[in-house]
Amino acid sequence: MGSSQSMSEEVRELVGKTGFSSEQIEQLHRRFKQLSGNQLTIRKENFNNIPDLELNPIRSKIIRAFFDNRNLRKAPSGLADEINFEDFLTIMSYFRPIETNMDEEQVEHCRKEKLRFLFHMYDSDSDGRITLEEYRNVVEELLSGNPHIEKESARSIADGAMMEAASVCVGQMAGLSVLREASG
């Protein structure tokens, strides 16, 4: 972020793009500079400096989501090697709560964006579908921190949950079409 006059113009533009307040943008900029070591971009390895992520069982998926070109609105697939501050804000905006002053259309748009982000997080091969194998990987990651659950048990839990979801959706697959629309 440049000089004070251009910075305020840049901040105003970012407020419009992300929905963050100027104070939130300034705070996130300080965090970005801290993570990047005062560089203009962040790389995946910079996320190793976040203690709260260290013990998160889906840490790799969260970090990957920051570099997913679909979430960055840059390409239909692939991963970026590094992201700039505006990219960082774009990803952080998916985590913003829905505001109470939004109209129904804005709320619906916000929910679809959040759903699209989550879908991309679990559609690891970017094919527009979350397969049983991708779902198993997620469940295994989530349960990996529990020393009382073995890998085969995690796989059985994932299979059971997927079968239950499939039995509920047989004939209508509404949830999957919503996810597919959200990912497009």
Side-chain angles (χ1 to χ4, degrees), residues 150-170:
E150 296 177 11
K151 190 170 185 152
E152 279 307 310
S153 296
R155 184 169 286 245
S156 294
I157 291 168
D159 290 350
M162 191 67 112
M163 293 301 288
E164 184 177 336
S167 71
V168 169
C169 294
V170 168

Side-chain angles (χ1 to χ4, degrees), residues 16-33:
K17 284 182 177 180
T18 65
F20 286 119
S21 70
S22 58
E23 294 81 20
Q24 290 169 319
I25 290 172
E26 293 296 333
Q27 183 179 16
L28 287 167
H29 189 250
R30 283 190 298 274
R31 183 65 172 141
F32 179 88
K33 286 173 45 178

Side-chain angles (χ1 to χ4, degrees), residues 134-166:
E134 287 168 322
Y135 184 73
R136 274 186 188 138
N137 290 338
V138 171
V139 172
E140 288 173 9
E141 282 182 53
L142 287 170
L143 299 175
S144 66
N146 187 333
H148 304 292
I149 298 178
E150 296 177 11
K151 190 170 185 152
E152 279 307 310
S153 296
R155 184 169 286 245
S156 294
I157 291 168
D159 290 350
M162 191 67 112
M163 293 301 288
E164 184 177 336

